[in-house]
Amino acid sequence: MRIALLALLVSLGVNVHAQKSASNEVDSVYPDAHALYVDLHQHPELSSHETQTASTLASLLRRAGYEVTEHVGGTGIVAILKNGPGPTIMLRTELDALPVEEKTGLPYASKVHTKSDSGQDVSVMHACGHDVHMSSLLGTAEIMARSKDSWHGTLLLIGQPAEETISGAAGMIRDGLFTRFPKPDVILALHVGNALPAGTVAITPGIYNTNADSLRIVIYGKGGHGALPNTTIDPIVIAARTILSLQTIPSREVKPGEMAVVTVGYVRAGTKNNIIPDEAEMGLTVRTYKQDVRKQVLAAIERIAKGEAAVAGAPREPLVERYEGTDAVYNDPGLAQRLQAPLEAALGKNNVVLTEPITPSEDFSAYVAQGVPGFYFSLGGANPEKFAEAKANGTSLPSNHSPLFAPDVDPALHAGIVAEVAVLRNLLNASPEELRKLTAEPASH
Ligand SMILES: [Zn+2]
Ligand SMILES: [Zn+2]
């Protein structure tokens, strides 16, 4: 009993010490990180147009001692700090902002307007918190460069463009991210949001979010007079049957308990009440957690669409086209387990929680698809008092992408830097073999 108590006191002492020294370290870089935050927040840029953002971040990382390459996959940047033999660990931030008009009322609120790629006049705002991620990465970069005796190996920091359009990660990979630069043993990223109070982080081992697929189905019939249906093959009736049959995929074909959503978000057909049209088109979004369920659902959609058309005697097979898609982000369970302890030591045990998967999608999965184990965790952004108040009232704070999204910057940015440094130091004290063994379990998503 006494030994247990002593051990507890020692471990508490160690943790308090770790938290204190982490806090002092962050204080020394915080002014730089916060200044960058305010600058970026006032000057947001849309996806694939992050030129000023990228060059600002690149010059600050160069000043911190990193070897920086710009224009990787468009506006992407890659910063490297080599520190002897050891593993290569990559930390990613996104660079882009969103076409949202800021309504936070903050003194440094964005007033930026620009033309979107489709020629519309839009306001621009860092409504997804990528400015927090970039500032946190800068603070982390400065600490890691000043404390090279605390780790060994290669630190790779990347600024990825176009996350919001789910195209930037693939662009950087195509431009040689993993061939022109050292291929990492592990990749890391965090995302800020209001689902957690600032000062905390959350870990989701295994599947973190959903596979998302967008499909277009065009049903071909034979048009004619609405009063002479016998001379036509009505694509609207085929579409109606198809929509109902599609709902039997989640309810009858997928194993109960597995996550599968099939939503028909639009149906377009016809021009006038007494004309049977030639075609009907519908658009679907499909969400799943597991790859085998995803395959099953996509195959079933095609089978049902073709089957219903054949039953009705359609003149042509329908077009079933998957025009957009991204994989679920998968957190390597071995990594998630290993990194919980250093996060708890740095932030306090109560400030690290385990959470369920979420539904929005993200292209961090593109790096994991290249065979690199990943760890993607959540950073609390909500003002702790407002968070508690909202919880007590059963309301929720503005989510990411809202014109009112305003993270509580000081505690959130502070915790982001502490967390990134803790995770990086832990991994950059391992050997590449140790990390390979840890992550050797085949991913069964
Ligand atoms: Zn976003
Ligand atoms: Zn985001």
Side-chain angles (χ1 to χ4, degrees):
M1 197 54 192
R2 206 175 274 169
I3 294 174
L5 186 65
L6 190 68
L8 179 70
L9 288 175
V10 168
S11 85
L12 280 177
V14 167
N15 278 351
V16 168
H17 177 73
Q19 285 167 44
K20 230 189 199 161
S21 57
S23 175
N24 289 343
E25 252 182 342
V26 177
D27 288 346
S28 71
V29 299
Y30 193 76
D32 285 354
H34 186 260
L36 177 64
Y37 174 77
V38 172
D39 178 15
L40 293 172
H41 194 87
Q42 286 178 309
H43 302 105
E45 293 174 300
L46 290 179
S47 304
S48 304
H49 299 279
E50 313 89 338
T51 47
Q52 192 52 47
T53 304
S55 87
T56 301
L57 189 59
S59 67
L60 291 169
L61 291 172
R62 239 174 235 131
R63 194 185 71 183
Y66 289 72
E67 191 188 313
V68 181
T69 308
E70 293 181 69
H71 310 294
V72 181
T75 57
I77 62 174
V78 178
I80 298 181
L81 189 61
K82 288 188 177 146
N83 189 20
T88 298
I89 309 295
M90 181 179 111
L91 173 67
R92 171 265 218 169
T93 179
E94 319 87 321
L95 302 172
D96 53 341
L98 286 158
V100 171
E101 185 182 353
E102 179 156 359
K103 292 180 181 154
T104 60
L106 289 168
Y108 50 85
S110 162
K111 295 185 181 69
V112 173
H113 296 272
T114 189
K115 276 225 188 301
S116 70
D117 286 340
S118 55
Q120 283 171 296
D121 285 313
V122 291
S123 301
V124 191
M125 172 188 177
H126 267 297
C128 202
H130 298 175
D131 46 357
V132 176
H133 307 168
M134 287 183 268
S135 321
S136 180
L137 178 132
L138 175 69
T140 299
E142 291 186 358
I143 290 176
M144 296 304 283
R146 289 177 197 176
S147 60
K148 285 172 96 174
D149 54 342
S150 72
W151 60 277
H152 54 84
T154 300
L155 176 55
L156 196 69
L157 305 175
I158 70 160
Q160 179 207 305
E163 185 281 324
E164 294 291 355
T165 51
I166 306 281
S167 56
M172 288 191 80
I173 294 166
R174 265 199 311 276
D175 200 13
L177 176 63
F178 292 150
T179 50
R180 287 162 58 195
F181 307 96
K183 188 166 181 179
D185 296 290
V186 170
I187 52 172
L188 307 166
L190 54 68
H191 207 298
V192 69
N194 272 341
L196 291 168
T200 66
V201 299
I203 301 173
T204 310
I207 293 156
Y208 174 81
N209 62 6
T210 56
N211 300 302
D213 295 287
S214 304
L215 275 77
R216 183 181 298 120
I217 299 178
V218 183
I219 293 160
Y220 303 103
K222 188 176 152 215
H225 201 292
L228 295 166
N230 54 308
T231 66
T232 73
I233 294 170
D234 188 344
I236 293 179
V237 173
I238 303 173
R241 282 200 199 120
T242 306
I243 292 165
L244 290 179
S245 295
L246 289 175
Q247 290 315 313
T248 63
I249 301 171
S251 68
R252 304 289 86 188
E253 296 198 31
V254 171
K255 191 175 158 202
E258 296 290 1
M259 195 282 198
V261 173
V262 178
T263 293
V264 178
Y266 73 83
V267 189
R268 279 186 211 128
T271 52
K272 196 173 179 303
N273 65 321
N274 63 354
I275 300 172
I276 292 169
D278 275 331
E279 288 179 20
E281 180 182 321
M282 55 180 112
L284 283 71
T285 188
V286 179
R287 303 293 166 115
T288 50
Y289 283 145
K290 294 186 182 166
Q291 286 297 352
D292 54 347
V293 177
R294 180 192 209 177
K295 244 191 228 160
Q296 182 195 4
V297 171
L298 293 177
I301 290 171
E302 188 156 351
R303 189 195 75 236
I304 286 172
K306 287 182 178 168
E308 291 293 354
V311 165
R316 262 171 76 188
E317 266 197 347
L319 170 85
V320 181
E321 183 192 18
R322 175 179 168 274
Y323 63 89
E324 200 176 66
T326 185
D327 293 350
V329 172
Y330 185 75
N331 274 325
D332 186 276
L335 275 178
Q337 203 182 10
R338 179 188 169 106
L339 296 171
Q340 188 174 343
L343 283 170
E344 286 177 351
L347 290 163
K349 205 170 170 43
N350 294 337
N351 293 326
V352 180
V353 294
L354 293 178
T355 49
E356 299 273 299
I358 57 162
T359 45
S361 305
E362 155 58 274
D363 69 357
F364 185 75
S365 51
Y367 305 116
V368 179
Q370 298 295 306
V372 187
F375 179 63
Y376 186 100
F377 62 106
S378 306
L379 174 69
N383 174 277
E385 284 94 63
K386 285 187 191 156
F387 182 80
E389 204 179 301
K391 211 173 168 192
N393 297 338
T395 55
S396 51
L397 295 170
S399 67
N400 297 58
H401 294 202
S402 156
L404 299 172
F405 182 70
D408 191 357
V409 174
D410 285 341
L413 185 49
H414 205 274
I417 299 171
V418 169
E420 285 177 348
V421 170
V423 165
L424 284 173
R425 275 205 188 119
N426 179 281
L427 297 172
L428 288 162
N429 273 290
S431 65
E433 295 70 41
E434 201 181 333
L435 294 178
R436 257 196 294 282
K437 231 188 246 165
L438 180 76
T439 58
E441 286 285 301
S444 61
H445 62 299

